[in-house]
Amino acid sequence: MSPHAILDEPVPRDLIAALATFGCIVAPFPNEWKGLRNGDLLGRLEAESISVLITCDRNMRFQHTIGTRPFALVVLPDQRLARLLPISEQISQAIKSAAPGHVVLLNQTGQFDVLAP
């Protein structure tokens, strides 16, 4: 079973269908969360028991302590759908491998590094 994952606000919603073909069930960013600051967003993720946040914000891991949180960050290399679709299988693998407190960084070719707390 795939983790309960959610896209961050700037990540294209069309990525959801591509990830579903690889067995990842991902929810779009909730409309009622739009405009939340990162700290408030992370609090909502915890409150809603979200396992993985898929984001393009490469700085979020430096601005907030992720290692102590009950969710993982999967950080995409780009927010343009045309650049994400070719690596959607690798993105799905990154989501499936993400553990609480970890940050998974993907590059343009889909290779990823898991940064443990």
Side-chain angles (χ1 to χ4, degrees):
M1 186 167 138
S2 183
H4 186 204
I6 192 166
L7 296 180
D8 198 0
E9 192 169 1
V11 178
R13 287 179 177 232
D14 291 339
L15 185 60
I16 292 172
L19 296 175
T21 64
F22 299 106
C24 277
I25 299 169
V26 177
F29 193 81
N31 285 332
E32 61 271 15
W33 292 10
K34 288 187 177 184
L36 286 178
R37 299 179 143 245
N38 282 346
D40 295 330
L41 170 61
L42 299 179
R44 291 300 282 275
L45 294 172
E46 287 184 36
E48 299 291 327
S49 300
I50 305 295
S51 299
V52 179
L53 174 65
I54 304 161
T55 185
C56 299
D57 186 346
R58 298 186 82 73
N59 292 320
M60 187 181 295
R61 68 188 176 106
F62 299 115
Q63 298 164 347
H64 301 278
T65 305
I66 303 302
T68 60
R69 305 277 187 155
F71 56 82
L73 291 182
V74 171
V75 184
L76 304 176
D78 204 298
Q79 67 184 32
R80 290 172 281 192
L81 185 63
R83 293 200 175 166
L84 297 175
L85 287 177
I87 62 168
S88 56
E89 183 175 9
Q90 292 90 336
I91 295 169
S92 69
Q93 291 170 353
I95 293 167
K96 292 174 183 176
S97 72
H102 290 186
V103 175
V104 183
L105 298 172
L106 283 105
N107 67 21
Q108 295 287 346
T109 64
Q111 294 178 323
F112 60 88
D113 292 317
V114 178
L115 307 176

